[in-house]
């Protein structure tokens, strides 16, 4: 017998409305009073609207899934903004497995708020829900919808753009502040930057840039070189030696593990995990290496007020300077480096690959490589178990979908006439998955300990305490309410989505303050997909991706090209994009990733000289 999709109002108050949309047999609907029922025809055949309100939905069992989000409404007459909270409660038919239900609900929600046809009014919203249930989601038996106006001050959400998105909109005016200058110098580190570099890239006034650099010098954050370039003063915990080439070291002192970072706060986080540190910086410039070395050696003697504008032709070679911090984690010798990136261009990533090749050429006993830092999590709006939140850590791991890769780079995405996408990708997988096995064993410890007193939790506490006195960055956890989850619905419009609720009792998914949750899944990158919220979700769903990062494919190419058959990408989640979107969570997420890496290294077998 034919089915109809029936909408029935359940209750209404001064500031809320609750509706039921359910699948019913046509006979059941026909038995009602026709005066109280509107039966649609034409394109809307099979849609029935009950006019009479009911106090119950006729279902004794509670909803199987719930999803909540907020929209910001604008009155066409007054232009006044109001905020509305919308809750969708789902019931599914018996043919749909419990494991499949969250995926169906998430796909339904994503299609409901699709930017291409997002319903901009109340009637359109309800109508789209009914049509989706009728034609595309037979597994959904019933949806209860609560629409509630929120009585609180309206603050329109701000969704910061990532580096790549600012490129899309053409030239962006970046405010010239001392903080911004320091951010750029930290990003380029260990490459020094000249005033000309800063002026040329951002169109700033040279004299104002010089003033801001003078402020940073007085604070002891940057140091000027005789050649007119500036570099970051490394935190006081590390003894820095400027060298023309790495000194020869005894075999027992050679590192067997390399850790590669891309941002300054990432390297600080990793360095806080290393004991017995010593740092070597090798500067390569055009014709005046001695000037660089002398200026750093005599940095304390440099006048804070004397800054010479560099000549435009005196430039630092991009990607030529290197920093290596050596020390111990557990029984293992470590070398940690920072890629001297200055942006998300392919040129910068190529230089990062060259830096990696140079690292592995100098330290030829390195067998294991970690790429450690921040990334963007992939949210799951209905399934708590699959949802990645800010401060969590994703370790690159092959999924059940396929066992072929742990890291994927998307080169392009082409749409087909049927609305699907063809993705052109490069896939990477180490031949030795030993590091991935260690990460899986660490995750299992959550079950045994009920989520408390885990090794990376104690490493994180120690790192936070150490960094509090050594760094200007704040590595403490940001306020929990700053973990906002937004979905783009077209143009620059967004809706705020509530995080899915936790299971009542499941030790494997317990969260506690100060302890990042570990997720095992592939990590991906690619500007084409990172720029588009909907496309990124489609890509992530198809390939089982749980985190995106800045484009590191050239680095992974270098690792495999240099015959290192064991590597892991470890990403602390700092936003829901690619890690570059906001700064607030980056230090904490960096420390979370570094803490998990330390736990992984301490769980590794000791190197052969230590084996009994």
């Amino acid at each position: 017998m034919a089915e109809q999709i029936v909408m029935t109002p359940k209750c209404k108050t001064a500031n809320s409305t609750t509706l039921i949309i359910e699948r019913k047999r046509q006979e059941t609907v026909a038995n009602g009073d026709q005066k109280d029922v509107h039966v649609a025809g034409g394109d809307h055949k099979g849609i029935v609207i009950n006019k009479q309100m009911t106090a119950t939905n006729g279902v004794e069992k509670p909803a199987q899934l719930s999803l909540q989000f907020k929209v910001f409404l604008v009155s066409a007459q007054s232009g006044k903004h109001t905020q509305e909270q919308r809750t969708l409660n789902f019931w599914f038919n018996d043919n749909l497995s419990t494991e499949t239900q969250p995926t169906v609900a998430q796909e339904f929600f994503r299609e409901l708020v699709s930017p291409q046809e997002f319903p901009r009014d109340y009637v359109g919203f309800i109508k789209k829900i009914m049509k989706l249930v009728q034609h595309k989601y037979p597994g959904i038996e019933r949806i209860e919808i609560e629409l509630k106006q929120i009585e609180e001050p309206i603050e329109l959400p701000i969704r910061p753009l990532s580096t790549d998105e600012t490129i899309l909109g053409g030239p962006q005016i970046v405010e010239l502040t001392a903080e911004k200058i320091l951010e750029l110098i930290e990003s380029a580190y260990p490459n020094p930057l000249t005033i000309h570099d800063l002026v040329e890239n951002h169109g700033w006034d040279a004299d104002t840039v010089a003033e801001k650099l003078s402020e940073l010098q007085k604070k002891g954050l940057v140091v000027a070189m005789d050649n007119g370039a500036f570099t970051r003063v490394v935190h006081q915990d590390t003894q820095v030696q400027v060298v023309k080439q790495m000194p020869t070291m005894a075999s027992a002192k050679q590192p067997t593990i390399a850790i590669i970072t891309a941002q300054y706060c990432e390297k600080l986080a990793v360095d806080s995990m290393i004991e017995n540190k010593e740092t070597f910086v090798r500067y390569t410039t055009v014709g005046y290496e001695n000037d660089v070395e002398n200026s750093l050696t005599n940095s304390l003697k440099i006048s804070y007020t004397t800054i010479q504008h560099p000549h435009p032709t005196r430039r630092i070679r991009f990607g030529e300077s290197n920093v290596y911090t050596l020390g111990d984690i557990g029984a293992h010798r470590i070398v940690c480096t920072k890629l001297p990136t200055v942006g998300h261009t392919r040129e910068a990533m190529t230089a990062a690959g060259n830096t990696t090749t140079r690292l592995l050429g100098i330290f030829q006993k390195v067998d294991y490589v970690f790429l450690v830092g921040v990334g963007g999590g992939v949210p799951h709006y209905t399934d708590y178990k699959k949802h990645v939140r800010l401060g969590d850590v994703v370790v690159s791991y092959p999924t059940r979908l396929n066992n072929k890769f742990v890291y994927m780079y998307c080169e392009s995405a082409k749409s087909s006439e049927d609305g699907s996408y063809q993705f052109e990708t490069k896939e990477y997988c180490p031949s030795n998955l030993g590091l991935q096995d260690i990460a899986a064993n660490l995750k299992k410890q959550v079950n045994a300990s009920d989520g408390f007193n885990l090794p990376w939790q104690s490493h994180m506490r120690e790192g936070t305490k150490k960094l509090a006195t050594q760094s200007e960055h704040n590595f403490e956890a940001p306020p929990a309410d700053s973990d906002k989850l937004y979905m783009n619905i077209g143009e620059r419009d967004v809706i705020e989505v509530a995080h899915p609720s936790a299971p009542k009792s499941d030790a494997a998914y317990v969260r506690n303050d100060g302890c990042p949750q570990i997720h095992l899944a592939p990590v991906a990158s690619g500007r084409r997909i990172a720029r588009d919220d909907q496309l990124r979700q489609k890509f992530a769903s198809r390939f089982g991706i749980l985190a995106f990062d800045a484009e590191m494919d050239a680095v992974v190419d270098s690792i495999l090209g240099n015959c290192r058959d064991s590597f892991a990408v470890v990403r602390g989640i700092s936003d829901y994009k690619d890690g570059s979107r906001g700064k607030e969570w980056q230090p904490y997420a960096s420390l979370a990733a570094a803490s998990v890496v330390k736990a992984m290294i301490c769980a590794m077998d000791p190197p052969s000289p230590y084996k009994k």
Side-chain angles (χ1 to χ4, degrees):
M1 187 169 292
E3 288 183 333
Q4 292 180 318
I5 305 302
V6 181
M7 188 203 80
T8 307
K10 181 179 178 182
C11 62
K12 185 176 179 63
T13 68
N15 66 346
S16 71
T17 300
T18 303
L19 306 168
I20 302 166
I21 292 175
E22 56 190 333
R23 196 181 302 277
K24 286 190 173 183
R25 292 195 309 254
Q26 188 169 350
E27 180 184 24
T28 305
V29 179
N31 289 335
D33 188 345
Q34 294 299 312
K35 294 181 181 180
D36 297 329
V37 175
H38 172 73
V39 180
D43 292 341
H44 305 304
K45 185 178 180 180
I47 299 291
V48 177
I49 308 296
N50 278 326
K51 300 175 184 178
Q52 289 294 321
M53 187 175 296
T54 180
T56 176
N57 60 7
V59 179
E60 295 182 359
K61 65 179 182 180
Q64 291 160 292
L65 278 175
S66 181
L67 188 150
Q68 189 178 93
F69 62 101
K70 297 176 184 177
V71 296
F72 294 82
L73 309 175
V74 184
S75 169
Q77 288 76 30
S78 65
K80 181 182 177 182
H81 287 83
T82 56
Q83 190 175 10
E84 186 174 87
Q85 178 176 284
R86 298 180 176 181
T87 304
L88 305 179
N89 294 313
F90 292 86
W91 286 261
F92 303 93
N93 64 38
D94 295 336
N95 296 327
L96 204 63
S97 68
T98 303
E99 293 76 16
T100 308
Q101 291 169 5
T103 301
V104 170
Q106 167 144 308
E107 290 299 324
F108 174 89
F109 176 64
R110 286 211 299 257
E111 192 160 358
L112 174 65
V113 300
S114 168
Q116 289 75 26
E117 47 184 16
F118 181 77
R120 299 284 171 173
D121 56 34
Y122 171 82
V123 173
F125 179 72
I126 301 302
K127 179 176 143 184
K128 187 171 182 182
I129 290 178
M130 297 181 76
K131 299 293 280 185
L132 286 174
V133 171
Q134 181 183 29
H135 295 297
K136 299 195 68 173
Y137 292 90
I140 297 177
E141 194 72 23
R142 181 179 291 101
I143 298 179
E144 184 177 275
I145 308 153
E146 182 188 42
L147 310 169
K148 183 178 181 182
Q149 287 193 0
I150 301 175
E151 300 295 333
E152 60 183 43
I154 301 300
E155 291 185 13
L156 296 181
I158 299 174
R159 177 179 172 272
L161 300 178
S162 72
T163 304
D164 290 329
E165 285 179 304
T166 59
I167 294 172
L168 286 178
Q172 300 288 318
I173 298 175
V174 179
E175 184 181 1
L176 172 53
T177 63
E179 290 75 17
K180 185 61 181 178
I181 295 289
L182 181 62
E183 178 187 326
L184 293 171
I185 289 175
E186 288 183 345
S187 177
Y189 179 82
N191 278 341
L193 290 182
T194 65
I195 293 178
H196 179 78
D197 292 327
L198 298 165
V199 169
E200 184 180 55
N201 293 334
H202 299 281
W204 290 330
D205 175 72
D207 290 329
T208 309
V209 170
E211 291 175 8
K212 301 302 181 185
L213 284 166
S214 180
E215 291 178 25
L216 295 172
Q217 283 182 281
K218 290 176 181 178
K219 294 178 180 179
L221 299 177
V222 303
V223 59
M225 301 177 178
D226 292 344
N227 55 35
F230 295 81
T231 192
R232 184 65 160 89
V233 174
V234 182
H235 59 290
Q236 60 266 34
D237 179 59
T238 304
Q239 184 66 36
V240 179
Q241 301 178 51
V242 179
V243 297
K244 293 183 179 179
Q245 61 183 18
M246 284 299 298
T248 303
M249 59 185 66
S251 178
K253 291 290 186 180
Q254 284 279 348
T256 57
I257 297 173
I259 300 177
I260 298 173
T261 64
Q263 296 194 38
Y264 190 74
C265 66
E266 295 171 352
K267 187 170 187 305
L268 292 182
V270 172
D271 285 354
S272 73
M273 301 290 130
I274 302 175
E275 303 295 332
N276 308 315
K277 291 189 290 288
E278 52 182 348
T279 295
F280 300 89
V281 180
R282 174 184 171 272
Y283 289 98
T284 300
T285 58
V286 182
Y288 46 83
E289 287 87 349
N290 290 336
D291 290 346
V292 179
E293 186 172 357
N294 291 338
S295 65
L296 284 173
T297 303
N298 300 309
S299 60
L300 296 178
K301 301 176 184 178
I302 294 176
S303 169
Y304 290 135
T305 57
T306 304
I307 302 179
Q308 299 295 326
H309 288 204
H311 189 278
T313 60
R314 300 179 71 188
R315 304 295 301 282
I316 302 295
R317 277 194 199 137
F318 179 76
E320 290 292 329
S321 301
N322 305 109
V323 57
Y324 303 117
T325 296
L326 291 98
D328 304 311
I329 293 181
H332 298 269
R333 286 288 291 171
I334 310 296
V335 58
C336 175
T337 192
K338 178 190 174 296
L339 301 173
T341 56
V342 291
H344 286 206
T345 64
R346 295 305 296 168
E347 292 78 10
M349 290 299 99
T350 299
N354 294 338
T355 300
T356 304
T357 297
R358 191 175 299 113
L359 165 76
L360 298 176
I362 293 172
F363 303 101
Q364 297 188 13
K365 287 197 172 184
V366 166
D367 292 320
Y368 306 95
V369 183
F370 290 88
L371 279 68
V372 182
V374 298
V378 176
H380 199 295
Y381 304 108
T382 56
D383 192 346
Y384 180 90
K385 297 178 181 180
K386 296 179 181 178
H387 181 49
V388 180
R389 294 196 60 167
L390 301 189
D392 285 354
V393 176
V394 176
V395 181
S396 58
Y397 194 89
T399 68
R400 287 181 296 178
L401 294 176
N402 59 72
N403 202 35
K404 297 179 180 179
F405 65 92
V406 301
Y407 190 83
M408 175 180 280
Y409 171 66
C410 181
E411 295 181 321
S412 66
K414 298 178 182 178
S415 59
S416 304
E417 292 182 359
D418 60 359
S420 63
Y421 280 88
Q422 297 292 326
F423 297 104
E424 186 178 352
T425 62
K426 292 194 298 183
E427 301 171 358
Y428 302 91
C429 190
S431 57
N432 180 349
L433 289 170
L435 296 180
Q436 281 69 25
D437 292 339
I438 290 172
N441 288 333
L442 285 180
K443 185 174 174 63
K444 290 178 182 177
Q445 292 184 24
V446 178
N447 295 336
S449 65
D450 293 330
F452 293 88
N453 299 315
L454 295 161
W456 59 94
Q457 187 177 16
S458 61
H459 298 331
M460 196 155 187
R461 284 195 296 263
E462 294 166 5
T464 303
K465 184 177 180 180
K466 188 181 295 185
L467 287 163
T469 61
Q470 296 173 3
S471 171
E472 297 74 29
H473 293 268
N474 180 11
F475 286 85
E476 296 282 350
D481 60 7
S482 66
D483 183 1
K484 299 287 188 181
L485 183 58
Y486 295 116
M487 175 181 275
N488 185 284
I489 55 172
E491 299 292 333
R492 291 175 182 262
D493 296 334
V494 295
I495 56 175
E496 182 181 340
V497 186
H499 296 283
S501 301
K504 296 296 183 182
S505 58
D506 194 337
Y509 299 99
V510 168
R511 290 181 184 274
N512 62 85
D513 294 339
C515 184
Q517 189 172 79
I518 294 178
H519 303 266
L520 306 175
V523 177
S525 66
R527 281 169 288 176
R528 176 67 180 91
I529 50 173
R531 292 167 174 169
D532 187 315
D533 287 355
Q534 295 288 324
L535 190 56
R536 188 173 62 257
Q537 285 283 348
K538 288 180 183 293
F539 183 86
S541 178
R542 183 179 301 183
F543 297 107
I545 307 297
L546 284 187
F548 288 85
D549 66 10
E551 295 172 335
M552 303 295 284
D553 54 298
V555 175
V556 181
D557 275 328
S558 174
I559 293 169
L560 295 176
N562 283 276
C563 302
R564 266 48 174 205
D565 60 1
S566 186
F567 73 88
V569 182
V570 183
R571 295 295 170 208
I573 302 305
S574 61
D575 62 34
Y576 294 106
K577 196 164 193 66
D578 61 4
S580 68
R581 189 167 114 183
K583 304 297 180 185
E584 184 179 12
W585 280 83
Q586 285 183 351
Y588 178 82
S590 298
L591 187 60
S595 300
V596 169
V597 167
K598 181 171 183 176
M600 291 174 65
I601 292 173
C602 290
M604 294 170 63
D605 291 334
S608 54
Y610 295 89
K611 288 184 178 179
K612 295 181 180 179

